[in-house]
Amino acid sequence: MGSIDYLERIPNNVDLAGNRRLQRALEEWQPRFLEWWRDMGPEGYQARDVYLRTAISVDAQGWAQFGYLKMPDYRWGIFLAEPEANRTIAFGDHKGEPAWQEVPGEYRGTLRRLIVTQGDTEPASVEQQRHLGRTCPSLYDLRNLFQVNVEEGRHLWAMVYLLQAYFGRDGREEAEALLQRRSGDTDKPRILGAFNEKTPDWLSFFMFSFFTDRDGKYQLASLAESGFDPLSRTCRFMLTEEAHHMFVGESGVGRIVQRTCEIMKQHPTDDPRTHGVIDLPAIQRYLNFHFSVSLDLFGSEISTNAANFYTLGLKGRFEETKKTDDHLLKNATYRIITLEKDRLLETEQPALPTLNERLRDDYVADCQRGVDRWNRVIREHGIDVQLRLPHRGFHRAIGACAEVRVSPDGRLVSQAEWDAHKHEWLPTEADKTYVQNLMKGVTEPGKFANWIAAPARGVNGQPVDFEYVRLA
């Protein structure tokens, strides 16, 4: 079960050949996916050889191989983590019952909505990033972008498999719709707001990969606890690939910070922009924007949907099985920040409807660890500046703080004060223009754009100056 058969037209470890109806449905969907990839995938590099990793097994150890191939030839397929013998549902009203191998009829619509919402994010990020190849800071970064893109494409396949295999005609229609929506399209936008934002430059891409893909980690980890076993197994394997996406983001921002600090140390009295790097205040403003937009992806602080997903056994908490409570939460409480008149207060609330906020807490703590590593780079250069996560109420469009204005340090402010200071807190048009003007493609092996440092090591033991994308 761990190995993947690449002789199949659609590589898989789910015995697709044993289900001819499903195989035919997916084979009919495949040309439409490839058409979407050609139209909306990476622009300008479809015919180039790229040094990519491909899954060859779902085992925890040694699951991938590396080599050159053209992106349209990438063998997207359907890979589920190994089944757990005698797995039971770990939480909610069905706690202790055998995990479901088929969709419970009464939860059909709810499960489908969860899968479609997750599935819609995968092609959306590819669409958001399709133009970035032309302004890559190095071949190393270009290759990492393409690795993220092909794996997001495979994650789309993972969700489409579940829709086609378990939801009949409704699932087939939803699979088609996943290829019809477009990021930022006025008439057919993607479902979640963050996936309709533009990704116009590499600083935005690295921030997106760090913050928004990290939301993906927590959503997938929660779905990996699902009582619906095929969804759980799908998400568990997706998490092995998601780790690389977050690494790309964290290391990318870290290398930008490093290069800026190098220039600041060499020219302590100069504006870093005069030396062609991105100043730390601008990095902070981009951080503020991407963090706040990503926080909205978790939903409202108090949510009956979240409570229902948990009670029904469809979506658990992050690392559910490691928690030591009763996994029912019907009498439990959880402290969250709420808006009370003109103040933000921490109040005790019933645990079930606050599960979104509990997941957001786990996410914020994880983000902070990454920011701490960026700050370590700044300290090592002897610079007295700290990057900070803004308050969770800052710049929110969903939840208790959506109707008020909150400063990065957590103060409720008037509209007038917001308007007077927002240029200090969020990327300005001048920031965006400056960063955009830095985006000049660097494609000579071993060379890097002036605004970013080289990585400490190459991909898969290769040297940093390896020809990760063949342009000749």
Side-chain angles (χ1 to χ4, degrees):
M1 180 64 75
S3 62
I4 295 165
D5 186 357
Y6 270 91
L7 297 177
E8 294 284 347
R9 180 175 169 185
I10 301 173
N12 70 92
N13 69 335
V14 296
D15 189 27
L16 197 56
N19 187 337
R20 296 296 300 163
R21 181 200 60 78
L22 177 59
Q23 184 176 21
R24 284 194 299 271
L26 289 169
E27 287 176 351
E28 288 176 6
W29 187 82
Q30 187 177 46
R32 290 189 281 278
F33 168 82
L34 291 173
E35 180 181 4
W36 167 82
W37 180 267
R38 286 189 292 270
D39 290 345
M40 301 305 298
E43 183 182 61
Y45 289 91
Q46 300 273 353
R48 303 299 185 184
D49 287 331
V50 185
Y51 186 72
L52 296 173
R53 71 175 183 182
T54 305
I56 54 173
S57 78
V58 296
D59 299 324
Q61 303 296 324
W63 62 271
Q65 68 180 9
F66 290 78
Y68 285 105
L69 74 162
K70 294 175 175 57
M71 283 183 288
D73 299 331
Y74 191 83
R75 297 302 307 279
W76 288 283
I78 300 155
F79 316 140
L80 275 62
E82 289 286 286
E84 295 180 15
N86 304 315
R87 179 174 179 257
T88 59
I89 300 170
F91 60 93
D93 287 351
H94 298 282
K95 178 186 172 186
E97 297 177 14
W100 307 306
Q101 302 306 319
E102 298 291 337
V103 177
E106 63 271 33
Y107 305 151
R108 186 181 185 84
T110 306
L111 257 177
R112 188 178 73 240
R113 179 155 53 95
L114 281 171
I115 292 168
V116 167
T117 301
Q118 179 62 45
D120 194 69
T121 68
E122 314 297 352
S125 59
V126 176
E127 293 164 357
Q128 289 172 298
Q129 298 157 14
R130 68 182 304 258
H131 300 296
L132 288 176
R134 296 189 180 280
T135 58
C136 64
S138 73
L139 288 185
Y140 167 87
D141 293 294
L142 184 63
R143 177 264 168 204
N144 280 345
L145 167 69
F146 293 159
Q147 185 69 57
V148 169
N149 290 162
V150 295
E151 289 179 352
E152 300 290 18
R154 203 209 63 74
H155 295 178
L156 172 60
W157 270 93
M159 296 294 108
V160 165
Y161 161 73
L162 294 174
L163 291 170
Q164 298 264 20
Y166 295 97
F167 293 91
R169 177 183 295 178
D170 291 341
R172 292 191 293 274
E173 291 175 354
E174 295 284 13
E176 293 298 325
L178 288 171
L179 297 178
Q180 293 167 359
R181 287 187 286 272
R182 294 287 185 269
S183 176
D185 188 273
T186 303
D187 298 321
K188 290 186 176 181
R190 291 296 174 181
I191 295 170
L192 299 176
F195 292 90
N196 289 301
E197 298 284 349
K198 292 182 178 179
T199 308
D201 56 70
W202 281 78
L203 176 57
S204 298
F205 167 65
F206 290 135
M207 289 288 184
F208 180 98
S209 300
F210 179 79
F211 286 113
T212 307
D213 280 328
R214 194 168 305 274
D215 161 77
K217 165 188 170 180
Y218 281 86
Q219 301 298 343
L220 289 173
S222 300
L223 292 171
E225 303 287 348
S226 178
F228 180 43
D229 203 44
L231 175 59
S232 170
R233 293 173 56 202
T234 296
C235 292
R236 278 186 278 136
F237 183 73
M238 288 168 69
L239 283 164
T240 65
E241 295 177 324
E242 201 72 32
H244 174 257
H245 307 182
M246 292 181 291
F247 162 79
V248 169
E250 181 177 331
S251 63
V253 175
R255 290 161 51 216
I256 295 172
V257 169
Q258 178 183 333
R259 181 61 180 146
T260 299
C261 291
E262 290 170 355
I263 291 295
M264 291 176 68
K265 194 169 183 179
Q266 292 169 18
H267 307 278
T269 62
D270 293 357
D271 179 352
R273 292 194 181 192
T274 64
H275 298 277
V277 296
I278 305 172
D279 52 292
L280 295 178
I283 292 172
Q284 178 68 66
R285 289 191 287 273
Y286 274 74
L287 183 162
N288 289 348
F289 174 79
H290 285 273
F291 177 67
S292 60
V293 168
S294 299
L295 286 180
D296 277 345
L297 293 170
F298 290 87
S300 296
E301 293 87 350
I302 297 177
S303 167
T304 55
N305 279 339
N308 289 336
F309 295 157
Y310 188 87
T311 300
L312 300 178
L314 305 181
K315 182 180 180 182
R317 292 170 292 177
F318 179 66
E319 296 185 335
E320 178 72 44
T321 55
K322 295 183 180 180
K323 301 189 186 303
T324 57
D325 54 33
D326 66 4
H327 302 278
L328 298 175
L329 307 182
K330 293 186 177 180
N331 299 311
T333 60
Y334 192 72
R335 293 187 70 80
I336 68 169
I337 294 173
T338 56
L339 180 65
E340 303 287 341
K341 295 184 179 179
D342 59 348
R343 291 191 299 166
L344 294 173
L345 300 174
E346 195 173 85
T347 62
E348 202 84 21
Q349 299 290 334
L352 280 171
T354 60
L355 285 169
N356 282 346
E357 193 66 2
R358 183 166 189 157
L359 190 61
R360 192 163 16 231
D361 284 345
D362 292 330
Y363 168 83
V364 170
D366 198 5
C367 288
Q368 185 61 57
R369 288 188 284 271
V371 173
D372 289 344
R373 287 188 282 271
W374 298 336
N375 282 328
R376 190 178 308 131
V377 173
I378 299 173
R379 286 198 307 274
E380 287 170 354
H381 285 80
I383 296 169
D384 187 21
V385 174
Q386 270 199 324
L387 297 173
R388 290 182 170 84
L389 293 176
H391 188 273
R392 68 180 61 211
F394 172 76
H395 190 235
R396 291 290 300 282
I398 292 175
C401 294
E403 303 302 321
V404 294
R405 294 297 192 180
V406 181
S407 67
D409 60 1
R411 293 180 298 110
L412 284 177
V413 298
S414 66
Q415 185 65 45
E417 185 176 353
W418 174 270
D419 290 339
H421 293 281
K422 66 180 180 181
H423 67 282
E424 302 168 19
W425 300 335
L426 290 168
T428 64
E429 290 306 313
D431 290 335
K432 296 173 186 177
T433 299
Y434 174 73
V435 171
Q436 190 64 54
N437 286 338
L438 294 178
M439 299 295 115
K440 312 293 184 186
V442 177
T443 56
E444 183 180 344
K447 300 293 185 182
F448 290 82
N450 177 65
W451 51 268
I452 191 168
R457 60 188 62 85
V459 176
N460 189 37
Q462 300 292 346
V464 171
D465 62 358
F466 184 70
E467 190 180 18
Y468 292 103
V469 182
R470 290 173 174 164
L471 301 179

